[in-house]
Amino acid sequence: MIDQLYNLKKTQTDQKLMQKGQLLSKIERLDAEILITKTQIDTATVQKFGAISDFTVLQMHKNTMKLHIRKLELEKNSLKEELDMLIKDIIGLQKETEQFGYILEEQKQEEKQR
C-alpha cells in the first residue's frame, strides 16, 4: 500500500513539474512578445513631410501597442502567480514522496531482519 502511495505522489510530482515547464515556456513567450512590441513602438515612424493626421495615426498605433503590452504583462503576472502556487504544490508533494519513501525503506529493512 505504501509503495502505491509513494508511486502516486512521485507521479503527481512529475506532472506538476511538467506543468511548471509549460508555464515557464508561456512566460518566456510573453516576455519575447513584450520585447518585440516595445521595439515596434520605438521604431514606428511617419514620413518626414507627412500630414498632421499621420502623427495622430502613429500615436493611436503606439497607444494600441502600449495597451497590448499592459495586457501581456497582466497575463504574465497571472502566470507567475500560478507558477508560485504550483511550486508550493511541488514542494508539498516532494515532502510527501520523501515521507512515503522513508516508510517504504523502513518496511523493507524490517522484512530483511525477519
Side-chain angles (χ1 to χ4, degrees), residues 35-85:
L35 182 63
I36 289 169
T37 307
K38 284 182 180 180
T39 302
Q40 289 175 346
I41 288 173
D42 294 339
T43 59
T45 61
V46 293
Q47 293 180 355
K48 186 174 183 178
F49 298 106
I52 297 293
S53 64
D54 288 347
F55 292 104
T56 305
V57 171
L58 177 64
Q59 191 58 46
M60 288 170 40
H61 178 63
K62 285 185 176 185
N63 289 342
T64 302
M65 287 191 288
K66 288 177 183 176
L67 179 63
H68 181 64
I69 288 173
R70 278 194 288 266
K71 287 179 182 178
L72 291 174
E73 286 175 345
L74 285 174
E75 185 178 352
K76 179 181 160 184
N77 289 338
S78 170
L79 289 174
K80 282 186 176 182
E81 288 175 7
E82 190 176 335
L83 181 64
D84 290 341
M85 297 285 285

Side-chain angles (χ1 to χ4, degrees), residues 39 100 108:
T39 302
F100 287 123
K108 287 179 183 178

